Structures are given as C-alpha cells and as structure tokens.
C-alpha cells in the first residue's frame, strides 16, 4: 500500500488505517487540476452573516477559539434538541462535510475529494441548512477551512505546488492565493489583531509552520520555520506565541518574528501530535502527548511567561489520559481529560483529580464544554453530561468514533444548537444539526375603536367598568426520560512498540 504521508507512524497506529482515515485510497494526479470553479455564490448573504445576537458565543475555530480551550458559554439544553437538518451526503470518492465552524448564523465546512475527486467548501445557513455559496476545486490533501477576519482560508496543493487559498467569507469569491511550503496542512488558525485589525493565518503540516499576512487584495508569508510537528497539531495561540507538539517534541514560535523555542525534546519523535489548549487567565497551557521514552500519553501543564520562558508545572498519566486527543479547559480553569473508560476533572494548580466520569468513550476523544454541559465522543454515540452533577443528560446517535485523525472534538455549538461532526474520514456521514424548539411568535393584539359618547343636555353619571384579566393556563412540559448510552465492548490494550527514528535532515 502506498501512503503519501511524510510521517513516521506513532506507536499503536495502523499504517493502513492511518492512510484511509486521512486520504482514502491512493491519490491519482490528474491533468487540469488548475480549474477552480465557484458555484452557487449569493452575495446577499452578508446581511445575514451576523444576524444572531452579538452576545451569542459562536464556534469559529476547531475547539471553539484560537486558544483551543473547547469551552463555550453558549446555552444548549441537550434534552430539548431535535435533529433539524443534515449536510448533503458525500458523492463517491469524498469525505462527508466535516469539521464545521460557526460564525453568526453561518456554518463553514469542507467536503474533501479523494483520488482526484472534487473538493467543496460551503457556507450553510445555521437555521435552515440552505447553502449560501460553494467553492470547488481539485487539490491534493486540502486542509480543513479556517475562518477569521472576514476570510475563509485553506491550504491545498495543485501540481505539487502548495498555496493558501483565501476566500471572501460573505460571497465565497476567491480573493487570491499565497504560495506556501506546507504540503499536507491542517486547518489554519486565523487571528485578527484587535488593535491594528491585521489578520494572520498560522498554518502547519508535519515539518513546516508559517505565518501568512492576509490583506483585502493580497497576502504574504511573514516567516516559515521547520520542526518535527507530527502532522496532527494545529497552531494554538499562547500569549504572543503559537505552540505545536508531536511525540516528545514541543515547540513555541514568536507570532511576529518566528523565533523558535524548542522547549522540550524527549527521546522519541514521529508522526501524530496533538493540539495544545491554553488558559490565558492563568497563563498555563496543556499538552496531552507522549513525553519521553517509553512512550506514555501524558498531560503536561506549562506556565507561559513569554516565548523564551516556558516552565513545566506538573504532569499526569493514567486511565484518564487517552492518547492522541487533547484536553478542554472549563470556565473555572479545571482541566478535562478523557481516557477510554473515564473522564478526569483535574485541578489546574496541582493536576490532582477532582472528580471523574466513568463510561465507555472513543479513543483519542477531546471533550468540549458549553454552559454547564460536558460533551464527549463514544464509539457510536455522542454523550452530554451535566457539568455540575456529572450525570448523563443524553446520548445522541452517531459520532466519529475512534478514527485516527487530528479533529477529535464532538462538533460545534451555538445558543440552542449542536452540530455533530463525523470527522474528515473517507466515506463518512456529513454533519448533523440539532436545534432547540424555536419560540412561538407572540400574537399582536388588535385594538377595536371605542365609540365616543355624545353629550346631552342632562348630564348622566356613567360607571366605568374595569376589565379583569382572565388567567391563561400554561401547559406543563412532560418530563423526558434520559436515555442511557448503549454499552460498547472495550478494546483490549495493544502493546506499543518503540518508534524507529527517521533520519534527521
């Protein structure tokens, strides 16, 4: 089997599954790949892009924000949600629409083409599923789209030449491309400076990371650095740095200059990696990754002072630390880490276990949090737990399961919405959108004109009647029983061989 992945496989990874999960069957280079077509563009969608309340908490990045905390203040009641629409099914040789992000009343997602099939990036109406616009093209290993600063960006290769494609978020028009060195990149992390308005996309693959400045009419690469990033780590904004990690190799780069701090180098390296989560209030970030030889998934907490000063605080290993996933950071700073059979709530100061949730969860699952709800992936279901009581609220049918890919979150959230992601896996189901019932419109009272009395010669006292409001009975909702997750057989652990280091350049 031929796998065009510039990675050394991690221990316990299956090389055949690794290729199929990411790219499907062997890609074929076809002539005419340069043809790029945008269809169904509707320029008028700008008026509805931000129609929801400005107080609503969107989900514009993988794991909610550029810090990848996985924590949203969106109000979502799992028991009240109903399936309202599903993104279009994938045609042959593609993945389903996956890795959705939410900005205002819009979902952005990609349907990735395999074997020379067409890739499609689409903008959907969150409420109805109507497609605002779609942009299509034929690429080798396109990244999932990242959104920010009014742009939708993704990395793609045509004729083995890689570029960052920059679309207008409102119309879907291709604005321009910027040549980059990344061949098989992940979703770019797009950041807009609140003071200057400057927009920068940080994009990484297994060996290169770049900062790309995005303007309205063109863009340019600010800097590019090299390292052993594994290929599964998205750039996380940590203070004035970005952080990338792979097994045993942890890096920080200054956002402005690209100055590198290889702050941990263990006795292992290879493919894989994970995405870091950063707590800005505490200036702490968390790495869930193999730390040293022998390989062992470890949560490492670091204090961030600046790009040159990063200090290890504490570490945890054990049943609540699953491999290849990441952690979520709660509103009080508590850290949530998932293993196959338990979720740990960890103290951010010491790493001690505060509470735990037993269950059967998918491998490499990353928790997500909304207002007092914890969401986690099972092997065939997605679970929602009350964050106060840790009781199961609901089990939703479907999940991305234990597939080996970089996007381990349950999906995306907004006030009253849950978008269940099935992952960018060959032949996967497209995402499902669940919504709480919409409020019924309040009827407008119609005023009836009151006749005007005509005065007569004899003044007669007229009594004025006082209208007494009539009480309206309110229907009491019938309690809904909480479903329990279907039991899933837990796989036997596999002894993990030590990886063979590839030659360093």
């Amino acid at each position: 089997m031929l796998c065009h992945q510039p990675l050394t496989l991690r221990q316990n990874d299956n090389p055949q599954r690794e290729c199929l999960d990411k790219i499907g069957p062997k890609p074929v280079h076809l002539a005419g790949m340069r043809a790029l077509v945008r269809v169904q563009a509707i320029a008028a969608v700008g008026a509805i892009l931000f129609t929801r309340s400005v107080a609503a908490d969107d989900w514009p990045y993988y794991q909610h924000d550029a810090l990848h905390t996985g924590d949203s203040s969106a109000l979502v009641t799992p028991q009240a949600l109903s399936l309202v629409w599903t993104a279009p099914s994938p045609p042959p040789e593609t993945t389903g629409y996956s890795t959705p992000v939410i900005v205002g009343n819009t979902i952005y997602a990609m349907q990735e083409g395999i074997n020379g099939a067409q890739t499609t990036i689409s903008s959907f109406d969150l409420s109805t599923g109507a497609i605002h616009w779609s942009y299509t093209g034929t690429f080798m290993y396109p990244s999932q789209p990242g959104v920010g600063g009014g742009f939708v960006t993704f990395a793609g290769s045509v004729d083995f030449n890689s570029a960052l494609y920059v679309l207008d978020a409102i119309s879907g028009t291709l604005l321009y491309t910027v040549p980059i060195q990344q061949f098989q990149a992940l979703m770019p992390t797009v950041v807009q400076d609140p003071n200057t308005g400057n927009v920068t996309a940080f994009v990484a693959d297994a060996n290169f990371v770049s900062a790309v400045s995005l303007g309205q009419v063109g863009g340019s690469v600010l800097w590019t650095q090299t390292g052993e990033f594994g290929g599964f780590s998205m750039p996380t904004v940590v203070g004035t740095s970005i952080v990338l990690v792979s097994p045993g190799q942890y890096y920080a780069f200054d956002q402005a200059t690209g100055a590198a701090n290889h702050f941990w180098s263990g006795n292992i390296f290879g493919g894989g990696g994970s995405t870091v989560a950063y707590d800005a209030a505490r200036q702490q970030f968390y790495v869930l990754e193999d730390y040293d030889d022998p390989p062992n998934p470890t949560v490492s907490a670091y204090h961030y002072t600046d790009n040159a000063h990063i200090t290890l605080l504490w570490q945890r290993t054990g049943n609540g630390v699953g491999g290849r996933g990441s952690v979520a950071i709660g509103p009080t700073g508590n850290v949530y880490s998932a293993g196959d059979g338990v979720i740990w709530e960890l103290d951010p100061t010491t790493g001690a276990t505060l509470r735990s949730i037993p269950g059967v969860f998918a491998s490499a699952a990353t928790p997500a949090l909304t207002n007092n709800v914890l969401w986690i992936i099972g092997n065939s279901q997605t679970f929602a737990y009350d964050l106060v009581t840790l009781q199961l609220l609901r089990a939703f049918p479907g999940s991305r399961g234990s597939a080996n890919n970089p996007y381990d979150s349950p999906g995306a959230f907004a006030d009253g919405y849950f978008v269940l992601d099935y992952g960018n896996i060959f032949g996967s189901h497209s995402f499902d959108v669940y919504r709480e019932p919409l409020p019924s419109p309040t009827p407008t009272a119609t005023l009836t004109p009151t006749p005007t009395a005509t005065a007569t010669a004899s003044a007669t006292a007229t009594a004025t009647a006082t209208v007494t409001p009539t009480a309206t009975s309110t229907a009491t909702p019938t309690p809904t029983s909480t479903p329990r997750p279907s039991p899933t057989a837990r796989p036997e652990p596999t002894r993990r061989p030590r990886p063979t280091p590839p030659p360093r350049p």
Side-chain angles (χ1 to χ4, degrees), residues 300-376:
S300 301
Y302 288 90
H303 179 75
Y304 175 87
T305 302
D306 55 39
N307 194 70
H309 299 90
I310 295 172
T311 308
L312 179 65
L313 298 176
W314 53 260
Q315 294 182 309
R316 284 296 305 272
T317 60
N319 294 337
V321 182
R324 298 196 305 269
S326 187
V327 303
I329 302 171
T332 63
N334 292 345
V335 179
Y336 297 87
S337 172
D340 292 354
V342 66
I343 300 171
W344 280 350
E345 181 184 62
L346 304 179
D347 186 294
T349 303
T350 65
T353 302
L354 301 174
R355 299 184 297 172
S356 62
I357 304 173
V360 179
F361 308 113
S363 299
T366 300
L369 306 168
T370 56
N371 199 305
N372 283 331
V373 180
L374 182 147
W375 307 75
I376 189 70

Side-chain angles (χ1 to χ4, degrees), residues 86 88 100 154 200 234 258 289 293 309 317 362 494:
T86 296
F154 68 97
T200 305
M234 278 166 271
E289 187 49 83
D293 192 22
H309 299 90
T317 60
T494 303

